[in-house]
Amino acid sequence: MRFSIVGASVLAVGLMTGAVTAQERTAWAGVFTDVQAARGGEVYLTACAMCHGPDLVATDPEAPGLAGFSFNLQWIGRTLAERFDRIKTTMPMGAAGSLTDQEYLDIIAYILSFNGYPAGLEEMTPATDLGGITITRPP
């Protein structure tokens, strides 16, 4: 009986430790560069601002805002892969999938930057493990 309790305790600690070490990276780790966010801002203005607003506050009642409370509601707790897939398969309105994967990633970098996420040293690319990066509230 004592062995079972000790074994269970070791297993529980191991699982908890594994959960911590296997924890996903967050967007606060600097997952885009300033250059990428600037590029994304240019694409955003031509492909997204008509509905989502130049300041990421929606001008179209059917489009969600992409800053502040609206951003938190739609983005927090999701992975970059979820956001990428959603945007690529639905945007721009009437022309879903019409941008390159890199342009979609640049737009995501711009939206993250606009919402206060820090830039890092490497750009997101189509090869980036977007599913391993979660968008969270500030640490």
Side-chain angles (χ1 to χ4, degrees), residues 3-139:
F3 180 77
S4 297
I5 293 171
V6 171
S9 296
V10 169
L11 178 61
V13 169
L15 290 174
M16 288 175 18
T17 304
V20 171
T21 57
Q23 189 175 43
E24 293 179 337
R25 195 167 128 191
T26 74
W28 292 100
V31 298
F32 60 88
T33 65
D34 284 326
V35 170
Q36 181 174 28
R39 226 176 29 236
E42 292 173 13
V43 178
Y44 175 89
L45 287 175
T46 60
C48 313
M50 183 186 329
C51 297
H52 293 283
D55 56 358
L56 282 72
V57 175
T59 54
D60 180 332
E62 299 294 317
L66 299 171
F69 178 78
S70 295
F71 172 84
N72 290 338
L73 186 65
Q74 299 291 323
W75 289 59
I76 299 295
R78 305 222 192 287
T79 66
L80 290 180
E82 290 173 299
R83 295 287 75 198
F84 175 83
D85 290 342
R86 170 81 175 161
I87 293 167
K88 183 176 178 176
T89 60
T90 62
M91 297 291 124
M93 181 73 84
S98 62
L99 304 176
T100 67
D101 286 355
Q102 191 61 58
E103 287 172 319
Y104 284 111
L105 292 169
D106 293 350
I107 291 168
I108 290 171
Y110 173 67
I111 293 167
L112 290 172
S113 177
F114 192 95
N115 282 281
Y117 288 78
L121 301 175
E122 293 185 32
E123 291 192 358
M124 287 183 286
T125 70
T128 301
D129 176 18
L130 300 176
I133 304 169
T134 303
I135 305 158
T136 62
R137 296 190 188 285

